[in-house]
């Protein structure tokens, strides 16, 4: 028995030592950036050239489709590769002994970065999983109630809202955001649909639309809804990391976020937020018992997670915070305005977001006048890609017709945006 006890002690000590190497500081590349000229940060060429140098980018084509996910900068990629190798080598010695604490540290770091309490945040595999859990888990609905969403909300979230008809016995109300949009027109559209739907209890809001890049006045709409007894679920998949805000600025109790888009963490990382006073209004995920019912982590039961991706989130946040949300928003807004100003001079091009900086960030969509079908926009996307070496993406679901989305990244150059405008000019004149 003493030998067995000693062997168990040694195994435990070895496990602890191995696990500790997961979080040990490595010799990974450290991002070094020059001092920024914050009075003119959007056009500080030296600063953004240094930021761009942190990314290994395929430059044979101008990639203006960075809304799908954001590539990892080299320091983040190196952290991810090192964490993958270590977890793979140490396997369950690490997973069973130390990952729980490390994951909690990551959760705390994410909560601090977004301005939430740790008990209000839990990690997910992306914004889609986060929002699906919030929508389908919302338990305040009764048969005969109504839920509302718009044409610019994300497809998967629309599906989840539609599923509430069968799951909760509610009416699903949809409407279109006005085009061209203005701040007052958007507010009027939400005011009108809320007034026309007196049984509404839940409203889906998208902070920054993946379809057109339109930024919604979330706080004002949330307050409008709350005055009528309507809760909101906010999709912040594209806004956090592209715009400068904290979760409390949204004035919403339920929000889903991405970490692998504009924060630049490995693919498969996101989180959800539930204001702690509202936790009981979201059901546990399939009656989860791994966590107490008063623990937000019981609202998402993912199963085995990507350990290395989770462990690499702090590296992504390190770089994000080094650059800062404010600087990122300024640069992405500048890049958007750079090409849009030129494209507006092309008579046949329709820009689908206003130039009001409160209504957009870096993403903007466009269409050629009268070209609103799938085939029209596939042909345009193909011509830009194959003839002009510019990658965009077709977006569906906009009430007035399909379009192409342009999503520059921090490493995008003005020359690449010039190539887009030159391509549009050539296509429009042909």
């Amino acid at each position: 028995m003493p030998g067995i006890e000693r062997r168990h002690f040694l195994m435990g000590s070895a496990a602890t030592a191995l696990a500790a190497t997961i979080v040990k500081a490595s010799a990974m590349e450290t991002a070094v950036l020059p001092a920024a000229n914050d009075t003119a940060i959007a056009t500080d060429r030296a600063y953004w050239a240094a930021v761009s140098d942190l990314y290994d980018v395929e430059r044979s084509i101008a990639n203006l489709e960075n809304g799908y996910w954001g590539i990892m900068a080299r320091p983040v990629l190196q952290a991810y590769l090192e964490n993958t190798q270590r977890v793979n080598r140490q396997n369950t010695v690490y997973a069973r002994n130390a990952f729980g604490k490390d994951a909690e540290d990551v959760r705390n770091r994410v909560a601090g970065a977004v301005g939430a309490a740790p008990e209000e945040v839990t990690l997910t595999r992306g914004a889609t999983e986060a929002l699906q859990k919030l929508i389908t888990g919302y338990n305040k609905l009764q048969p005969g109630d109504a839920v509302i969403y718009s044409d610019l909300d994300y497809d998967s979230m629309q599906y989840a809202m539609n599923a509430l008809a069968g799951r909760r016995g509610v009416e699903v109300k949809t409407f279109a955001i006005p085009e061209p949009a203005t701040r007052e027109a958007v507010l009027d559209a939400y005011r009108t649909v809320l007034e026309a739907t007196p049984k509404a209890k839940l409203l889906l809001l998208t902070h920054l639309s993946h379809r057109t890049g339109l930024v919604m006045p979330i706080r004002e709409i949330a307050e409008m809804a709350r005055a009528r007894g309507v809760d909101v679920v906010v999709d912040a998949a594209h806004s956090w990391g592209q715009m400068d805000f904290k979760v409390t600025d949204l004035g919403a109790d339920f929000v889903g976020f991405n970490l692998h888009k504009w924060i630049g963490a490995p693919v498969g990382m996101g989180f959800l937020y539930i204001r702690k006073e509202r936790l009981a209004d979201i059901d546990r995920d399939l009656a989860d018992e791994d966590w107490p019912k008063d623990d937000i982590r019981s609202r998402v039961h993912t199963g085995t997670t990507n350990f290395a991706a989770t462990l690499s989130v702090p590296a992504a946040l390190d770089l994000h915070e080094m650059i800062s949300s404010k600087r990122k928003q300024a640069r992405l807004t500048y890049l958007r305005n750079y090409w849009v100003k030129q494209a507006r001079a092309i008579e046949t091009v329709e820009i689908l977001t206003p130039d009001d900086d409160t209504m957009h960030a870096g993403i903007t969509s466009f269409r050629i006048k009268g070209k609103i079908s799938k085939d029209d926009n596939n042909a345009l996307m193909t011509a830009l890609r194959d003839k002009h070496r510019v990658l965009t993406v077709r977006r569906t679901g906009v009430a007035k017709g399909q379009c192409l989305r342009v999503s520059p990244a921090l490493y995008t150059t003005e020359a690449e945006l010039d190539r887009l405008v030159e391509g549009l000019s050539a296509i429009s004149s042909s």
Side-chain angles (χ1 to χ4, degrees):
M1 288 298 293
I4 293 175
E5 291 173 358
R6 181 173 181 274
R7 185 161 61 249
H8 283 177
F9 171 77
L10 290 173
M11 289 177 65
S13 299
T16 300
L18 282 169
T21 66
I22 293 292
V23 294
K24 181 181 67 175
S26 72
M28 72 178 64
E29 177 179 347
T30 300
V32 178
L33 298 175
N37 177 9
D38 280 322
T39 60
I41 186 60
T43 54
D44 185 337
R45 289 186 178 275
Y47 184 81
W48 294 111
V51 171
S52 180
D53 285 345
L54 295 173
Y55 295 86
D56 293 321
V57 182
E58 175 58 57
R59 295 287 186 181
S60 64
I61 187 168
N63 183 2
L64 301 181
E65 204 320 63
N66 295 284
Y68 195 172
W69 83 89
I71 70 171
M72 290 177 277
R74 279 196 307 277
V76 183
L77 177 60
Q78 186 172 349
Y80 183 49
L81 294 174
E82 290 186 4
N83 285 323
T84 298
Q85 291 172 337
R86 290 169 178 168
V87 171
N88 191 64
R89 182 173 66 251
Q90 297 172 16
N91 192 255
T92 49
V93 174
Y94 168 71
R96 295 294 190 191
N97 289 281
F99 179 67
K101 181 184 181 304
D102 291 347
E104 179 65 2
D105 290 343
V106 173
R107 182 171 78 126
N108 291 343
R109 176 71 187 280
V110 169
V114 81
E119 61 268 24
E120 296 176 318
V121 164
T122 189
L123 299 174
T124 66
R125 290 173 292 187
T128 294
E129 182 176 59
L131 289 157
Q132 286 175 337
K133 300 305 181 185
L134 291 172
I135 292 167
T136 61
Y138 180 75
N139 59 31
K140 304 287 284 183
L141 297 171
Q142 299 295 325
D145 288 340
V147 299
I148 304 172
Y149 67 80
S150 84
D151 63 324
L152 296 190
D153 293 317
Y154 190 65
D155 307 73
S156 299
M157 279 55 271
Q158 293 184 2
Y159 307 156
M161 294 290 279
N162 291 338
L164 295 176
R167 290 187 176 204
R168 306 286 191 183
V170 300
E171 175 192 0
V172 180
K173 175 78 172 180
T174 65
F175 72 105
I177 299 297
E179 185 186 311
T182 64
R183 186 178 188 84
E184 194 52 47
V186 169
L187 289 171
D188 283 345
Y190 278 96
R191 187 178 297 112
T192 298
V193 74
L194 286 167
E195 290 174 351
T197 318
K199 292 185 178 181
K201 291 292 184 291
L202 184 66
L203 172 66
L204 173 64
L205 288 176
T206 300
H207 194 190
L208 191 160
S209 172
H210 82 292
R211 300 190 195 279
T212 67
L214 185 67
V215 172
M216 303 291 183
I218 293 294
R219 177 174 283 277
E220 292 93 328
I221 299 170
E223 290 174 353
M224 186 189 306
R226 186 176 296 111
R228 293 180 172 273
V230 179
D231 274 320
V232 299
V233 170
V234 174
D235 178 347
H238 271 289
S239 56
W240 194 56
Q242 187 176 167
M243 297 174 62
D244 182 28
F245 70 96
K246 299 294 187 183
V247 67
T248 50
D249 296 330
L250 301 177
D253 297 333
F254 312 110
V255 189
F257 292 89
N258 242 316
L259 288 164
H260 62 231
K261 289 188 184 289
W262 301 96
I263 297 297
V267 170
M269 295 305 304
F271 65 100
L272 64 79
Y273 163 87
I274 304 173
R275 188 167 62 85
K276 54 189 171 184
E277 293 84 0
R278 300 299 308 276
L279 181 61
D281 296 330
I282 304 295
D283 284 333
R284 289 178 293 159
D285 190 3
L286 299 176
D288 175 84
E289 295 183 14
D290 284 358
W291 300 98
K293 63 182 180 181
D294 61 352
D295 190 314
I296 192 173
R297 288 170 289 188
S298 68
R299 272 55 180 180
V300 181
H301 190 118
T302 295
T304 304
T305 191
N306 184 332
F307 305 108
T310 301
L311 294 169
S312 303
V313 167
L317 288 173
D318 285 346
L319 181 58
H320 167 70
E321 291 169 355
M322 178 183 294
I323 298 171
S324 84
S325 294
K326 185 175 181 179
R327 290 173 183 166
K328 288 169 74 172
Q329 181 170 356
R331 179 62 176 178
L332 292 169
T333 298
Y334 161 75
L335 292 172
R336 179 267 181 197
N337 290 339
Y338 180 88
W339 76 265
V340 166
K341 181 178 180 179
Q342 298 178 70
R344 285 198 187 278
I346 304 172
E347 185 177 353
T348 58
V349 173
E350 293 181 343
I351 303 297
L352 303 190
T353 57
D355 290 336
D356 177 352
D357 281 352
T358 68
M359 300 293 286
H360 71 81
I363 295 176
T364 284
S365 293
F366 69 91
R367 67 170 73 94
I368 301 299
K369 291 179 181 178
K371 303 292 187 179
I372 63 174
S373 71
K374 175 180 178 181
D375 289 344
D376 288 335
N377 284 276
N378 272 342
L380 178 57
M381 179 179 65
T382 300
L384 285 171
R385 182 192 65 206
D386 296 348
K387 295 181 181 179
H388 302 281
R389 306 304 295 158
V390 175
L391 181 64
T392 59
V393 66
R394 178 174 58 86
R395 296 290 79 181
T396 65
V398 183
K400 287 197 173 182
Q402 297 194 18
C403 55
L404 295 190
R405 184 181 76 188
V406 176
S407 305
L410 295 180
Y411 52 76
T412 299
T413 66
E414 288 93 336
E416 290 171 325
L417 296 171
D418 288 338
R419 199 187 312 173
L420 167 66
V421 175
E422 290 163 4
L424 288 176
S425 297
I427 292 167
S428 296
S429 61
S430 62

